[in-house]
């Protein structure tokens, strides 16, 4: 007999309407059923442990930016070049987690990290899959002040 994913105590007791809780449970189930097929995808297999948080939690950061691909990673890099100019003089470099879906985006962010040393503490990573439990854990570990 198949079982459906259980809702967390938080979801069950947070005043979330039953219909929304059911939709979230179905969404979570769909993700769990899809993950084995996604793991066989060559593009997603790279960075798989990071995408499911098997390598541990994401680092804590002041800001979390999602740059879906290489092009958006370049845009994030450009924003981060100008971020120190907007901070009070003498402020500590901000810790900025920038996540991406693609290996190309991750490569761009690694280049950006090298350029921004001492100005921004750039923390590049793969974006975790949008499985509700993974995202809850990711947000709890990063604890960003801005997303």
């Amino acid at each position: 007999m198949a079982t459906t994913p259980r809702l967390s105590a938080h979801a069950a007791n947070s005043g979330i309407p039953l219909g929304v809780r059911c939709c979230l449970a179905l969404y979570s189930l769909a993700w769990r059923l899809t993950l084995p097929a996604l793991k066989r995808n060559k593009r997603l297999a790279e960075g798989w442990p990071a995408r499911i948080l098997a390598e541990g939690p994401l680092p804590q950061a002041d800001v979390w930016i999602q740059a879906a691909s290489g092009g958006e990673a370049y845009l994030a890099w450009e924003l981060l070049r100008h971020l120190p100019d907007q901070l009070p003089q003498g402020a500590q470099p901000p810790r900025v987690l920038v996540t991406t879906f693609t290996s190309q985006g991750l490569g761009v962010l690694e280049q950006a990290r090298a350029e921004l040393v001492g100005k921004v503490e750039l923390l590049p990573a793969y974006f975790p899959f949008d499985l509700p439990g993974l995202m809850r854990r990711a947000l709890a570990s990063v604890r960003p002040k801005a997303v």
Side-chain angles (χ1 to χ4, degrees):
M1 178 167 98
T3 60
T4 57
R6 299 180 90 184
L7 293 173
S8 69
H10 172 74
N13 297 322
S14 65
I16 297 173
L18 179 61
V20 173
R21 291 192 318 232
C22 289
C23 287
L24 287 172
L26 288 173
Y27 181 75
S28 182
L29 176 62
W31 261 107
R32 290 183 192 288
L33 293 173
T34 305
L35 283 175
L38 293 176
K39 189 173 185 179
R40 289 190 300 271
N41 179 296
K42 192 162 58 166
R43 290 182 68 189
L44 295 177
E46 187 173 343
W48 184 265
R51 296 174 196 275
I52 61 169
L53 302 179
E55 295 177 336
L58 290 170
Q60 187 174 351
D62 301 311
V63 177
W64 184 346
I65 298 172
Q66 165 57 9
S69 62
E72 289 183 5
Y74 278 113
L75 291 172
W77 186 353
E78 189 61 28
L79 286 171
L80 294 174
R81 279 185 177 128
H82 298 283
L83 181 60
D85 300 336
Q86 305 305 313
L87 300 174
Q89 192 167 9
Q92 292 279 47
R95 290 176 56 93
V96 180
L97 172 66
V98 183
T99 52
T100 185
F101 292 130
T102 66
S103 58
Q104 179 190 16
L106 198 62
V108 169
L109 295 172
E110 292 291 350
Q111 292 174 22
R113 177 169 53 181
E115 178 192 295
L116 296 169
V117 168
K119 300 173 188 166
V120 173
E121 188 177 349
L122 176 55
L123 309 163
Y126 279 111
F127 188 76
F129 286 124
D130 194 21
L131 187 62
L134 286 178
M135 291 311 299
R136 194 171 18 263
R137 285 184 15 227
L139 281 168
S141 67
V142 176
R143 296 190 322 229
K145 296 174 185 153
V147 178

